[in-house]
Amino acid sequence: MKSIDQVYQLYFRGVYHFLLSLSRDHYTAEDLVQETFLRAYLYLEFYHNENVKSWLFTVAYRTYIDYYRRHRKNVVTDTDFFQQLQKNDADIHHQLILSEEVQEVLALIDQLPDKQRTAIILHDIHELSYKEASQIMDVKLGHFKILLFRGRQAIRQRKDENQ
């Protein structure tokens, strides 16, 4: 097993992008990444020589679920002001980095139900195997494949409708 510092250096960006995809907020993703690595350090005894990346993504996913459960009651309903502030900085940055088609696909992924979105993010974006991703989501392999299939199918249908 690598040291926690080596694991942090290797997987920080992947875990951050995964949590950003789930939370849709840069600051929340940063907080969740720190919480993920803290939990990984604290629960290192539960690591049983499985794939470090999938184990870490499991910790990240569970950290996100815990955060979501704690904060879903505190949802601000009128977010126009805050969204406008975020869009100014985020849109300029994203437009420079992402092509138009990638932005379209990411927007379509963003519209999917949570479980389908998570399945696509884990398998198609972070390139985890079916087995690893299903373990992270704590669903059976067959159910994971169905979520992935339905998510991809919904993206294709919506993309065809937009053209």
Side-chain angles (χ1 to χ4, degrees):
M1 167 80 182
K2 299 174 183 173
S3 73
I4 194 72
D5 291 331
Q6 291 171 319
V7 170
Y8 182 84
Q9 293 299 321
L10 282 171
Y11 298 108
F12 168 80
R13 294 187 90 206
V15 169
Y16 168 77
H17 288 294
F18 172 59
L19 291 168
L20 180 62
S21 300
L22 294 175
S23 68
R24 301 178 187 140
D25 179 70
H26 165 73
Y27 300 106
T28 302
E30 282 184 338
D31 290 345
L32 292 174
V33 166
Q34 298 307 315
E35 179 71 20
T36 296
F37 281 98
L38 175 64
R39 287 183 183 190
Y41 177 74
L42 294 174
Y43 296 105
L44 207 51
E45 65 205 48
F46 296 107
Y47 172 76
H48 299 292
N49 290 331
E50 61 258 26
N51 182 319
V52 174
K53 184 178 179 180
S54 63
W55 178 72
L56 200 54
F57 272 63
T58 302
V59 174
Y61 183 65
R62 293 197 175 129
T63 301
Y64 168 74
I65 295 297
D66 290 346
Y67 169 84
Y68 177 76
R69 286 178 182 153
R70 280 193 313 266
H71 290 88
R72 71 176 159 199
K73 295 174 186 163
N74 301 331
V75 175
V76 177
T77 55
D78 185 21
T79 60
D80 293 343
F81 174 76
F82 297 108
Q83 286 178 346
Q84 193 60 35
L85 289 176
Q86 277 186 331
K87 281 184 181 180
N88 291 337
D89 293 340
D91 283 352
I92 293 168
H93 181 67
H94 286 344
Q95 287 173 358
L96 294 173
I97 295 175
L98 300 175
S99 71
E100 207 170 286
E101 189 168 322
V102 171
Q103 287 178 354
E104 179 186 0
V105 171
L106 291 175
L108 293 172
I109 290 172
D110 221 23
Q111 295 171 8
L112 294 173
D114 285 343
K115 289 201 177 221
Q116 290 176 6
R117 181 169 41 92
T118 303
I120 286 177
I121 290 168
L122 287 172
H123 182 71
D124 293 342
I125 296 175
H126 290 285
E127 301 176 342
L128 293 168
S129 70
Y130 291 124
K131 183 178 178 184
E132 291 170 329
S134 68
Q135 288 172 344
I136 290 169
M137 292 181 66
D138 197 24
V139 296
K140 293 185 189 245
L141 184 60
H143 184 64
F144 175 81
K145 289 180 181 179
I146 291 170
L147 289 170
L148 188 61
F149 173 78
R150 289 182 180 163
R152 288 174 177 166
Q153 187 177 35
I155 289 171
R156 277 189 220 102
Q157 288 173 346
R158 290 178 184 162
K159 193 170 181 183
D160 289 344
E161 290 169 4
N162 292 340
Q163 291 179 350

